[in-house]
Every structure is written in structure tokens, then in C-alpha cells.
Amino acid sequence: MRILTVGAGAVGGFFGARLATAGQDVSFLVRPGRAKALEARGLRVAGQGEELHLTPNLVTAGAVGGRYDLVLLSVKATALHTALADIEPAVGPDTAVVPLLNGVAHLHSLVARLGAGAVLGGVAKVVTTLNDDGDILRMAPPAVILTGELDARPSARVDAIRGVLAEAGIDSPATEDIVAAMWHKWVFISTLVALTCLMRGTVGEVNAVAGGADLAAALISETAAVAEAAGHPVTEAELAFTTSTVTSPGSPLTPSLYRDLVAGAPTEADHVLTDLTLRARALGVATPLLDLAALQLRVHEHRLAAGRP
């Protein structure tokens, strides 16, 4: 299978490295700065007992090298508009595009630009980050990509993609409703983002003080209520997992959005939190804590736009 991984950061770089190591024909669409670093050092993955080092096949915007069978879109939402223009020449009538972004707003943009037939749903579950050298550090066991047709119908192309992922050691269980799965991931990540950004600390730091666990529980109630009102109720098992994750004592966990915030960088706040609160308002669901977190992040973005990091 000819695969284009859009981005070679912590998520795309990890999954792309797994696929390339398994013998798939993988190219990485990267920006010039990332290309230079990868040309000098190679693509490296370490952690959780895994050590990968490969010389990646790199392509840049305007030179994607024709059509691909599969496009894994692993950019941040802030780069989505540019990425769509970059990948358009890579998408043909038989191409499947699997987005690995949080939230669901990107689906509309993808379908509008690339056509409904090209776009699948996608969920990534992986805990990775880039170190100072640009290497990928894997910090926890999950290595999962869920995918499926947006209308939930059975699909031979989805089965083929899942098979390729499994051969690369990437778990890809069958998913009855990928849009629901995307909503459930959204509940998890928006809870984690709101908790850490509001309190400016790790999960463990928040839960080390009185009221921290109560805040986490209140945020879960809000995010889950929005998903249920939208027609995608979260299962008890998933709620239990989210609860245990965001109330874990001593946990060093933070989402990448929080790390961008404390680094004074632009964030995906609009895609992850603001969009959720707007949907909540349209559905008549009260989300005062999420509204507060989204407002705080909008102030951060306003400060950056005004040149005051």
C-alpha cells in the first residue's frame, strides 16, 4: 500500500515509522525545517521497549509524488487549511484519507475539499512527544488507530487498511460507528485539556489539592452531556477510563495543547474546546466550566495575535 503520512511529529512520525518498518511504502509530507532535521538525524522512535531508526522518504508541498492509496492526516488543527491544499494532488478516486485530529469539525473541511468518497473517520490513541533532538518518545503502551466509513457501512477498504495497520503492530479493532468513537475521544481530550489548562498543572498536581478531583468529575459531566445530546452517549466503560485517567494521583499526564499553552505557542483551542461549547449551546447543554476554559484559551490566542506572548 502506498501511504502518505502528513506530518512527521509525535503522532504521524510514530505511526509512519511503524508502517515503514513493516515494509509499507511510506512517504512523509513535512515542512522544510522538519525535513532538514530528519535528513540529518533520521526518524527515531524510542520508549516502552521500542527502538526504531530509519531514513524516511520525505516529500514537501508541491512535490508529493502522485496519488496514494492511504493518507494519514496527523497535523494539528491550526495547520489543517494548509495541509488540505498540500495533499489535494495526492488524493485520487481510490485514495482513503484518515484524519487523526481531535474533535469532529475537520470532517466538514475534508469532505468539502476532497469529496465525501475520499474521507474516512479516524481516532488515534498514542502517548508520544518530541524531545529536544526531534526524536519521538513513546511514553505509554497504546498504539491504536480506529477508522471507518463516516456512514458506518461495512467497507472492504477499511478492512484492508486495518489489516495493514495490524501488520505494523498498530491495533485497529473494528468500529461500528467511527463518528461516535471520534466524539468519545473528544470527551476524553476536552476534559483533559480543560482540567490542565484551567489549573495550569499536570493531572497529578491538580488531584494533589483539595477540590481537584471534584473539578475533574464536573468537567466529565459537562463533556459527556454534550456528547449524549449530540446523539453519541459515552459508554460506562469509557467514562470510567476517562475518570480514572484525569483523577490519577501523581500522574504526570498533560495533553499537547497544554504543553503548547505553557510554551507560549498557538493552540488548537478553537477546534477542541470552542467548537464543543458552541455545539453545547446549540443543543441547550450548560457547560460553564468548559466555557471558562475556552475563554481563557481565547485570551491566550488574542495575546499571541497581538504580539504579546
Side-chain angles (χ1 to χ4, degrees), residues 53 98 306:
H53 183 199
V98 177

Side-chain angles (χ1 to χ4, degrees), residues 9-92:
V11 175
F14 171 77
F15 288 123
R18 278 278 187 94
L19 288 161
T21 301
Q24 296 296 329
D25 179 6
V26 180
S27 297
F28 295 86
L29 175 58
V30 294
R31 297 296 172 202
R34 183 63 170 153
K36 184 177 180 180
L38 290 170
E39 287 166 354
R41 187 169 174 80
L43 180 58
R44 299 170 185 256
V45 177
Q48 299 294 307
E50 183 171 35
E51 295 284 343
L52 301 177
H53 183 199
L54 62 147
T55 301
N57 180 38
L58 305 176
V59 297
T60 55
V64 295
R67 306 286 177 78
Y68 289 79
D69 302 307
L70 172 63
V71 175
L72 290 179
L73 184 60
S74 60
V75 299
K76 293 186 176 182
T78 51
L80 179 61
H81 179 75
T82 300
L84 284 176
D86 292 344
I87 68 173
E88 196 166 14
V91 178

Side-chain angles (χ1 to χ4, degrees), residues 200 257-265 300:
R200 289 298 200 275
L257 193 153
Y258 169 82
R259 297 193 292 273
D260 289 339
L261 171 67
V262 297
H300 167 75

Side-chain angles (χ1 to χ4, degrees), residues 133-196:
D133 294 321
D135 299 339
I136 299 166
L137 300 182
R138 186 179 175 208
M139 300 178 289
V144 179
I145 292 179
L146 306 178
T147 190
E149 300 287 351
L150 295 179
D151 60 4
R153 72 181 187 277
S155 167
R157 67 173 178 170
V158 168
D159 292 341
I161 292 167
R162 290 179 52 241
V164 167
L165 294 171
E167 289 173 3
I170 301 167
D171 293 336
S172 187
T175 306
E176 290 186 6
D177 185 344
I178 190 60
V179 175
M182 292 171 68
W183 266 92
H184 300 164
K185 170 72 180 298
W186 197 7
V187 166
F188 172 83
I189 198 66
S190 59
T191 299
L192 182 60
V193 163
L195 180 70
T196 55

